[in-house]
Amino acid sequence: MRRWNGWGDEGVLLDAPESAVVFIEGKVGPGRPPADASLERALAAVPTPRLSAPAFVDQSPLARLRHSLGESLPDMIAVRAGRLPGYVDGVAWPTSADEVRQALAWAAQAGAAVIPYGGGTSVVGHLDPGGLDRPTLSLDMSRCSALQELDGDGRLAVFGAGAAGPDVEAALRAHGFTLGHFPQSWEYSTLGGWIAARSSGQFSLGYGRIEALFVGGRLETPRGELVLPALPASAAGPDLRQVVLGSEGRLGVITQATVKISPAPQVEDLRGAFFADQGQAVDAARSLAQSGLPLTMVRLSLPAETETSLRLAGGGRAMVALRKYLAWRGVGQGMCLMLYGFCGGRRAARWVMAEAGRVVARAGGVAVGRRPGRQWLRNRFSLPYLRNNLWAMGYAADTLETATPWRAVLPMAQAIEEALAGSLADEGERVHAFTHLSHVYAHGASVYTSYVFRLGQGPERTLARWRKLKAAASRTIVANGGTISHQHGVGLDHKAYLPAEKGPLGLDLLRAQCAAMDPKGMMNPGKLLD
């Protein structure tokens, strides 16, 4: 059963080792465990619906509560307090494009806004109905999730857009294929949501970001259906797939997606290497990205994240031995951990990883074998659960990300961490911020920063602290020329910073697209654009 007020399954508990708890306390101070609202109290706060709905719309308090928030930290603060900024007035679960059309037609007649809902994992406010001055319908696409067609020769698959990550992979693996798209929210996020938010997966270096995998589909809009043919290439004007990618529900509802698939890998070979300093480590990541090797992943933790990760892993003889070995090799304070790997055939894996190992060694990396990679694979979808544990101990944890050219990677990371660290100084509060490069490209890399701070005295104080932190980091990203979102999308939380990236004419073009598809402005209003 999925948690109603936090990440993941209720039966999954991820306890941090005592050494990690001591580490966090040392960084930001003792936590103040909060007094969270019960489910009964949260349900009692759900208001009476603002519309009378047909039988296909669920207006129960629990359905409306669950569909009125995502997984952002403001969402968590609100739901733990037992009262959200706003609530949808009903939830529909269409099973086909026809039923999506029916729901859109009814919403238009009723004067209701529509918020498409995939897996409910947005971390930037895509699902927030607060502030809307009209009734709101949540359109949950989870029942449009089947594998509809598979073309093994053409390496294409057609899915209902509500298919969640595990369902996509299970359906494809049964036929010997994979999509290879694994965002950290993979257990719950959906194919349609990946497209709508321009998602990037952990193995996108090898398989491609979602824009490289999405080759066609169908979009139901208030003006009718937009069909995107799955052609191998076309010069027939601008590519309309790019209009749908990143549209965040403003144009309509993605009902079907055709995606590129790959043979399921024979091996997943991920290895670790440590570097003595971050400049050396970033040079190695850049060399790998520009080497032409068909690597599946390069992930580099900068010093603060490397130390945090080692503390989270706990102590024990193996960790003591690792630190002694690294010290003997000249790697100690300020070390960086790189994970790099290849997924595919056995013969190719041997060659690719041997060549990558030579690049790493030339850059000064100390190879430590496959154990870090195996451990990361085991835990890669578990880390969000730590936020539940940290909250219970009195700490809030959040993430933010950008992408920038190689020359700006380290200055950007440093500027973000410094902005976060100083944002709560006027309150006498400390912030622990740490960064990794989660994706690399020939001309740059993503910069992904996590941060932890103490909960305030009550939800209002905690939310005010988050707003200061988010604003400081976002202003820093814009001032340093980075994108306001590499993989999380815009939603509400990044909307104020979009003009810096798109410019006035670009924003007018986006508004014109929304008006063409949705002239009455009923689709997810207020997100992405005003």
Side-chain angles (χ1 to χ4, degrees), residues 304-344:
E305 178 164 298
T306 298
E307 184 61 25
T308 301
S309 299
L310 293 177
R311 293 298 186 102
L312 287 174
R317 286 177 293 181
M319 187 60 65
V320 172
L322 174 63
R323 287 185 182 272
K324 286 184 176 179
Y325 171 71
L326 292 174
W328 177 68
R329 294 290 303 272
V331 177
Q333 190 71 23
M335 71 176 76
C336 296
L337 170 62
M338 174 187 285
L339 298 177
Y340 61 99
F342 173 80
C343 300

Side-chain angles (χ1 to χ4, degrees), residues 437-463:
L437 311 186
S438 56
H439 301 83
V440 298
Y441 307 90
H443 58 286
S446 67
V447 176
Y448 193 107
T449 301
S450 303
Y451 58 99
V452 180
F453 62 99
R454 294 199 299 178
L455 301 182
Q457 296 285 356
E460 295 81 9
R461 184 74 254 153
T462 301
L463 182 60

Side-chain angles (χ1 to χ4, degrees), residues 12 32 57 82 90 96 108 122 135 141 148 172 186 217 260 294 359 369 405 415 439 477 487 490 530:
V12 177
R32 304 183 186 97
V57 176
S96 65
S122 168
M141 296 299 292
Q148 299 172 3
L172 293 177
W186 174 80
K260 297 178 184 177
V359 173
H439 301 83
I477 287 170
Q487 65 204 69
V490 176
D530 290 321

Side-chain angles (χ1 to χ4, degrees), residues 246-270:
S247 56
E248 301 189 8
R250 287 300 305 265
L251 305 181
V253 183
I254 301 166
T255 59
Q256 183 188 85
T258 302
V259 290
K260 297 178 184 177
I261 57 177
S262 300
Q266 294 176 325
V267 294
E268 292 181 334
D269 190 349
L270 270 63

